[in-house]
Amino acid sequence: MERKYFIIALLACVLAFSTIVVLNTWTQSKLTVDERRFDFDLNGELSADEQRLMFRVTRLEAERGNKFSTSEIRQMRSGERERSRGRGGFGRGGRGSRGPSGPRLNPEQVAFRDGTATIPDRETFEKLSYQGREVRIDTQLTGIEFVKFQIENTHTETPQLYFMNTETHRSHGSFMNAAGLGRGQGQMRGVLSYRPLFTSPNGEPGVYTFEFNPNDAFSFEEIKLAHDLLVSKMPILKDRLGYCPLWGAIGIYNREKAFYDAAEFPVYFEDDLYANIGYLPLNQAASFGLLRVLALDERPTPRDIVICKTLPNEMPRVAGVITGVRQTPLSHVNLRAIQDKVPNAFITKAWENASIAPLIGKYVYYAVNADGFEIREATLKEVETHFADLRPSKTQKPKRDLSVTKILRLNDIGFSDASCFGVKTANVATLRTFGFPEETVPDGFGIPFHFYDAFMKHNGFYTKVEALLDDPAFQSAYDIRAAELKKFRDEIEKGEMPAWMLDAIAKLHNAFPVGTSLRCRSSTNNEDLPSFSGAGLYDSYTHHPDEGHLSKSIRQVFASLWNYRAFEARDFYRIDHLTTAMGVLVHPNFTDELANGVAVTDDVVYQTIGNYYLNTQVGEDLVTNPEERSIPEEILLDWSDSNNYRVVSMSNRTMGGGRILSDAHLRQLSSYLGLIHYKFNQRYGHVGQAKNRAMEIEFKITSDGRLSIKQVRPWGQ
């Protein structure tokens, strides 16, 4: 009998275990095979921490072209936890922990593949340096060009400096093993970094900084010894080298501050470096054109390289941009430069620069690079050849699907409907499926291309476009073209709408509560594309309750398809004007918002790795079209840890100089940006577009403090 009950109990346990396994398998089946790699607790769901790690790892995998192993992912998870506790270093350990493998070498005896005793010029520094993601636990060096160094015998009269070949040896331990160096008294292990965007003490672009392990705390005398050794063995560092104390050295620095104040070399904290930018490459490219200083009321041509003393809110296509004041990196001007693949940089007082001023009024070659700009006089033949090669040889016809003939709610529009409604409308509709809190993404309607096409045909406007395109004066004179386009826009705004269209638009309007102001936003088949952002080409309008029929604002949006700047962009790229179409995204207008912002899922400005880039400004001062002298809040936000962020610059519009985005907003943005990047890259990859493409969002902080996302599109680079 006992045996019988034992068998029954055993069978019950087996059945229960099998049920658990089946349920667990069924639960996990809700995750994709790729997502299951990050389900560490095997509960069939990804926690917020597991999702953040997945977003970070999958991005790195896409860039390197293969997947990490399970053990590597678990190490990254452990590494993130260690990093969140403030731990880090310069790659100590490794092979060096086993002790030197050969006799001790003096600096002059080290083979160049391992290191060198001197760096005579910038070219040698570049050969020894490393710049990229493979920095082990030295995450603060990610994306920075650096050469590690080691000083021996600091406690003697004959200290020795070794420059490491950092391409060969990423860690000090590995180099020490190769050079026969053991661990002992009088050692300093540091890193020499090059920061091309910042202005050096001698006024030239480019600063070198030296620092040590984050938990090292050397005295001023030791720091001065290191400085003097570095300058003596690398002469180009003279008047261009500063000390950057990390967190472990702050205490002793404060105690010895008087010595540093009197020293001949500067001390840089990382925030000081960002504040000292004298050159900022907003878009790295090269071009030819006529160099001219652009007045506020002047209209440039596509062949002009313009110097702007203040940043214009909009600009037609030009050959290159230089501003003498710090640009808003996510402004429409810079997004246009990225889209048009033309060089764009901030250069302090560019019109007074010794390399630039003598060339004003001449044809030039202008290139923007990560570590500086190039400019020289060019011949007319070079200019003509450049522009002949730049324009497409054939007419391009954007995809225009007129099969959808009715206005649809956003909830009924999908990602694949962009060819009917425009990418802006389709992407906002797609955002609404990501499970964000209610009202994070606006709700509304999409007016399809069919309405624009029917309106144009009803008024005979296509015939007028054809007449303009055949007019020699319109084609050859920029002023005539601008004037004729303005007249045409006026005609469109006064155009007649068929009765069925008026009824459909009125029905849309009536779907919102009485008294609601509506935002009518351009959504064409010629913007927000992976290959063409179209940023700032077209206009959106707010329709207020006292303005009558909504068709008034819809016609204004239709008319903006024929903006001068939009026409010039299409004309340059040989995009067929007659197949370009305008849809309209309609949703309630935001009022009295606390802030406007733009964020990109990569650091597209300073090129640091593993950070989101955020620009935010107070009120209705748009980051994309900033008011004059407006400086936004600029933040680098870690991909996986919202507590890890850097405020690069504060807004000049806040009361008392406070921060605009709270910690709570940063936590939300970190979570939302990771999900947006992951989900949209899945969709773009599915339709044959490049994966791991950075995504750009426009967001608002509403009057009641909520985060709202109003737009998403692929970043234009």
Side-chain angles (χ1 to χ4, degrees), residues 88-249:
F90 286 157
R92 291 172 290 175
R95 289 187 294 159
S97 63
R98 298 196 302 267
S101 59
R104 187 184 192 282
L105 302 177
N106 289 322
E108 296 77 14
Q109 297 174 305
V110 175
F112 192 81
R113 67 176 180 274
D114 294 315
T116 185
T118 59
I119 299 181
D121 48 37
R122 169 75 189 157
E123 183 181 4
T124 305
F125 182 86
E126 290 174 343
K127 291 177 180 177
L128 292 167
S129 66
Y130 174 76
Q131 185 174 17
R133 291 173 170 77
E134 300 297 325
V135 294
R136 301 192 178 183
I137 61 174
D138 303 333
T139 54
Q140 77 277 11
L141 298 176
T142 305
I144 296 174
E145 184 184 14
F146 65 91
V147 170
K148 290 188 175 182
F149 63 87
Q150 178 135 340
I151 302 175
E152 294 280 310
N153 303 325
T154 61
H155 59 305
T156 71
E157 296 294 323
T158 55
Q160 294 176 304
L161 172 64
Y162 296 79
F163 289 107
M164 293 166 48
N165 188 323
T166 314
E167 274 287 347
T168 306
H169 302 287
R170 208 76 77 241
S171 73
H172 286 89
S174 173
F175 170 76
M176 292 168 66
N177 184 50
L181 303 177
R183 296 186 180 272
Q185 187 180 2
Q187 292 179 328
M188 299 176 75
R189 286 178 280 279
V191 62
L192 178 64
S193 303
Y194 180 58
R195 304 170 187 268
L197 305 184
F198 311 113
T199 304
S200 65
N202 63 8
E204 296 179 5
V207 166
Y208 292 86
T209 62
F210 68 103
E211 59 196 54
F212 298 93
N213 288 343
N215 56 345
D216 279 342
F218 295 111
S219 68
F220 170 78
E221 287 301 321
E222 291 171 300
I223 297 300
K224 184 178 185 305
L225 170 67
H227 171 272
D228 295 348
L229 277 172
L230 288 166
V231 173
S232 68
K233 300 298 183 180
M234 184 175 168
I236 62 172
L237 295 179
K238 184 174 175 57
D239 296 327
R240 300 184 71 178
L241 178 65
Y243 170 51
C244 185
L246 300 184
W247 61 267

Side-chain angles (χ1 to χ4, degrees), residues 437-451:
E438 190 66 26
E439 299 183 354
T440 298
V441 182
D443 190 12
F445 295 85
I447 299 178
F449 295 153
H450 172 78
F451 276 55

Side-chain angles (χ1 to χ4, degrees), residues 284-317:
Q284 297 179 41
S287 184
F288 290 86
L290 180 67
L291 183 65
R292 53 182 290 204
V293 178
L294 188 68
L296 288 176
D297 58 348
E298 284 187 293
R299 181 182 296 113
T301 75
R303 295 187 172 214
D304 289 338
I305 293 174
V306 295
I307 301 173
C308 302
K309 292 188 176 182
T310 59
L311 185 67
N313 282 338
E314 60 183 52
M315 185 183 290
R317 193 189 197 285

